Amino acid sequence: VFPKFEVFFVGHEELLPRPTRIFLWIGQTVNAYWQFIVPGLAVLGVGVFYIFRDKKVQQALDRLWLKVPFLGVLISKSSLSRSFHTLSVLLHGGIPILEALKLSQEVAGNLVFKRCWGKVSEELENGRDFSAPLRDNPHIPQSEVQMLSLGERSGHLSMVLAKLSKHYEKELDYAIKSLLKFIEPALIICMGFLVGLIVMSLILPIF
């Protein structure tokens, strides 16, 4: 849009309002250096892709995501739901718990929870209870850890895991619906603000 209106503003740049000058500068820069900008963005994208594949970077990001308001809750519930469901199904099918934990660890998604299930496996190999290492996990409520401990002692661990998995699935579904209700008006407001800013930048010079 701005390149078409630029001819009307040539020679009067110092009189233009700041928003118009900013958009004009962006348009001129893109038109003048697009042959460098496009490859630069491609190289940047590839570089970011390989940086994010680094395990240390992934661990730092996964810890960071869990601290983000609302998003961290979604990630936590999703990881726990998948892990609990997988572990429940495998244990109910007669798979040894250590093997079931390895498979549950793979479906956790978030590296923080993968490490959690890896620690549970190590503790079980050392003769400790299934629920013992979970007591130190801030993302699993202590009431649920107690339920897992009771299920382990009574021999109904798979049943407790199945109930917790369904509980997290319901909470996750509700949280996603709530997020979508928030995102839709937020996107409309942002788009309206951006369009309004562009229109204002075109109209202001007339006055």
Side-chain angles (χ1 to χ4, degrees), residues 102-119:
K102 289 181 180 179
L103 295 172
S104 300
Q105 187 177 2
E106 293 301 319
V107 302
N110 189 283
L111 290 177
V112 173
F113 288 98
K114 285 187 176 183
R115 292 182 63 184
C116 170
W117 297 121
K119 186 177 180 180

Side-chain angles (χ1 to χ4, degrees), residues 46-183:
V46 172
V48 170
F49 173 76
Y50 280 103
I51 288 174
F52 282 177
R53 292 186 65 182
D54 183 78
K55 286 188 176 181
K56 291 183 179 179
V57 175
Q58 286 181 355
Q59 289 177 359
L61 286 174
D62 281 355
R63 285 195 296 268
L64 178 63
W65 295 138
L66 290 174
K67 295 178 181 179
V68 177
F70 200 82
L71 179 61
V73 176
L74 284 178
I75 295 173
S76 177
K77 291 182 185 299
S78 176
S79 296
L80 288 173
S81 175
R82 289 198 301 267
S83 296
F84 284 160
H85 176 73
T86 302
L87 193 55
S88 171
V89 171
L90 293 175
L91 290 178
H92 185 73
I95 304 297
I97 189 168
L98 290 177
E99 186 177 344
L101 278 169
K102 289 181 180 179
L103 295 172
S104 300
Q105 187 177 2
E106 293 301 319
V107 302
N110 189 283
L111 290 177
V112 173
F113 288 98
K114 285 187 176 183
R115 292 182 63 184
C116 170
W117 297 121
K119 186 177 180 180
V120 172
S121 296
E122 292 177 2
E123 295 295 333
L124 282 173
E125 289 177 346
N126 293 329
R128 296 191 66 189
D129 294 338
F130 172 85
S131 60
L134 297 178
R135 294 190 178 95
D136 300 326
N137 192 314
H139 304 290
I140 303 178
Q142 290 302 307
S143 59
E144 296 177 5
V145 175
Q146 292 177 1
M147 289 176 62
L148 292 170
S149 178
L150 291 173
E152 182 181 18
R153 293 175 183 177
S154 62
H156 297 91
L157 181 58
S158 63
M159 186 183 299
V160 174
L161 287 166
K163 289 182 179 180
L164 289 176
S165 173
K166 291 180 180 178
H167 168 71
Y168 277 115
E169 285 177 2
K170 290 179 180 179
E171 287 198 344
L172 183 62
D173 183 58
Y174 176 77
I176 290 175
K177 288 180 180 178
S178 300
L179 180 62
L180 292 176
K181 289 180 180 179
F182 169 78
I183 288 178

Side-chain angles (χ1 to χ4, degrees), residues 3-57:
K4 296 180 180 179
F5 284 85
E6 186 177 351
V7 292
F8 300 106
F9 304 143
V10 174
H12 305 285
E13 287 84 356
E14 68 280 356
L15 300 176
L16 297 174
R18 187 182 298 273
T20 306
R21 280 183 285 164
I22 291 174
F23 279 109
L24 280 176
W25 177 81
I26 293 174
Q28 291 169 353
T29 302
V30 172
N31 286 332
Y33 302 104
W34 66 268
Q35 64 271 29
F36 302 107
I37 294 174
V38 173
L41 290 175
V43 171
L44 179 63
V46 172
V48 170
F49 173 76
Y50 280 103
I51 288 174
F52 282 177
R53 292 186 65 182
D54 183 78
K55 286 188 176 181
K56 291 183 179 179
V57 175

